[in-house]
Amino acid sequence: MNWGLIGASTIAAEHMIGAFRATGGVVTHVVSGNAAHAAAYAAAHGIAAHGTDLAAMLADPSIGAVYISSTNEKHRAQALAAIAAGKHVICEKPLAMSVPDAVAMVKAAEAAGVVFATNHHLRNAGSHQAIRALVAGGRIGRVLSMRVFHAVHLPPHLQGWRISDPTAGGGVIPDITVHDADTVRFHLGEDPVEVVAMAAASGMGDGVEDSVMSVWAMPSGVQVFAHESFTHAFAGSGIELHGTEGSIFARGVMTQRPLGEITLVTAEGAEPVPFDTHNLYVHGVQRFLEAVAGKGRPAADGWDGVRSLTVALAVREAAETGTRQRVAYGD
Ligand code: NDP
């Protein structure tokens, strides 16, 4: 696969260019809003073509797929242009600034017959796949509640627009709550129906929230508590699932790398749970390439991205209005 990058971003540099190459792909072209940045980025990462002209890149028939990792307000127009040019798309989360925009992107991809994936990496982790297998296999019985603790410390090189620019999609809710929504959906196999929330600026956010706590009601009656933050240097991340026959404690698993520890506790005692330590992003790209080849679907497809965004925006609305929100998926 020949890949075009839309957005000369940190995530592409740190994870995705490597994942494209590890799966046999070639990154042939990078487009940025800034010509000098595009040139420097192409030189640093060994990419042959670079520039600011998205249409020129999309006109190149040798490029089969694009990866969109610009700031969030740009995703919609860039995705629609790529889809119109017949390219398969991996788009970063949050898919867009609003649910109707995200729906428009996914519907356009369906109409054009191209594969569209959302880059929710956590469901590609061996740790999360092992947890999901325990839950689906009934090892903790009927699930009663789930706790997601994803309060981290945003490193300085990622602060920028995330902590100060609502027009670019800044704030911890579009950044991290959206991932947690996908992870909860992945483990429980159902979508939140109602949420309550409170958000705060706790030292980093300047015009956007940097911390949020929310409680979600699931159709089955499972209660979910989620905590996301940019300001917690020592909290560590993880999830817990509690059921009638056992509990799962997973620490250090809300990460971009295949790390963490999982313990299953039942009436028989506590046992460590082994899991695969494959690269999350490589796994996601492999699933995408299989979907392009007509085998299966991406790990997280466009509708998964629409749903995670819908949950995250309901959390933000709940926090802003101080009211309980129904999560309106629009279908
Ligand atoms: P960055 O801030 O690194 O990059 C975003 C954009 O900022 C770039 O695309 C580029 O704009 C511009 N930019 C960055 N550096 C420069 C520079 N030196 N000069 C000029 N412009 C610059 O963002 P991230 O990589 O952190 O995030 C990008 C997207 O990926 C977001 O949608 C985010 O939510 C998502 N993300 C997903 C992760 C995941 O694991 N799934 C993890 C991290 C981020 P231009 O587009 O014009 O090139």
Side-chain angles (χ1 to χ4, degrees):
M1 178 66 82
N2 281 349
W3 289 89
L5 302 186
I6 303 178
S9 68
T10 308
I11 175 73
E14 292 183 349
H15 296 281
M16 295 305 288
I17 292 172
F20 298 137
R21 290 176 176 158
T23 48
V26 181
V27 181
T28 63
H29 199 139
V30 58
V31 167
S32 169
N34 177 306
H37 180 53
Y41 195 93
H45 300 290
I47 301 169
H50 57 84
T52 58
D53 189 344
L54 176 60
M57 181 177 94
L58 295 176
D60 178 350
S62 76
I63 293 177
V66 299
Y67 168 57
I68 299 172
S69 63
S70 52
T71 46
N72 305 332
E73 85 288 8
K74 296 183 184 144
H75 294 175
R76 175 182 182 275
Q78 291 168 335
L80 291 177
I83 291 163
K87 310 300 183 192
H88 303 290
V89 176
I90 299 181
C91 186
E92 269 307 340
K93 45 49 68 171
L95 284 190
M97 301 289 281
S98 75
V99 173
D101 281 359
V103 168
M105 294 155 69
V106 177
K107 285 193 170 166
E110 284 182 347
V114 298
V115 174
F116 187 100
T118 308
N119 206 28
H120 279 309
H121 59 293
L122 290 167
R123 57 167 71 206
N124 291 306
S127 56
H128 286 281
Q129 290 164 351
I131 294 164
R132 188 194 204 205
L134 290 174
V135 175
R139 292 297 301 278
I140 62 169
R142 180 169 63 84
V143 182
L144 301 168
S145 65
M146 179 168 177
R147 187 163 87 90
V148 183
F149 42 111
H150 203 161
V152 297
H153 192 266
L154 195 64
H157 75 288
L158 292 183
Q159 290 177 11
W161 57 271
R162 269 190 184 75
I163 61 166
S164 61
D165 191 353
T167 64
V172 78
I173 294 173
D175 202 53
I176 305 185
T177 307
V178 77
H179 275 312
D180 293 346
D182 186 66
T183 304
V184 168
R185 296 183 61 245
F186 180 68
H187 289 303
L188 299 180
E190 58 180 352
D191 300 326
V193 287
E194 269 192 313
V195 300
V196 293
M198 290 185 79
S202 60
M204 221 181 258
D206 177 14
V208 296
E209 81 287 333
D210 61 28
S211 298
V212 62
M213 291 186 178
S214 55
V215 175
W216 312 349
M218 307 301 284
S220 65
V222 174
Q223 287 190 296
V224 176
F225 166 64
H227 178 202
E228 295 88 22
S229 177
F230 288 153
T231 60
H232 287 48
F234 307 104
S237 74
I239 62 172
E240 294 174 3
L241 287 124
H242 304 289
T244 52
E245 309 299 326
S247 286
I248 298 165
F249 298 86
R251 289 206 69 90
V253 296
M254 306 306 278
T255 129
Q256 297 177 298
R257 299 185 192 282
L259 304 172
E261 291 172 7
I262 309 171
T263 305
L264 171 66
V265 180
T266 65
E268 277 72 56
E271 57 180 279
V273 177
F275 59 87
D276 233 54
T277 54
H278 56 254
N279 180 298
L280 284 61
Y281 296 95
V282 170
H283 190 274
V285 174
Q286 274 163 346
R287 289 283 304 271
F288 177 82
L289 293 172
E290 285 164 17
V292 169
K295 295 178 216 135
R297 56 184 284 277
D301 66 13
W303 292 113
D304 290 312
V306 168
R307 294 207 152 227
S308 64
L309 177 66
T310 308
V311 176
L313 293 183
V315 166
R316 183 175 261 169
E317 187 70 15
E320 284 179 356
T321 61
T323 59
R324 178 190 286 241
Q325 290 293 314
R326 282 207 75 76
V327 188
Y329 295 100
D331 57 26

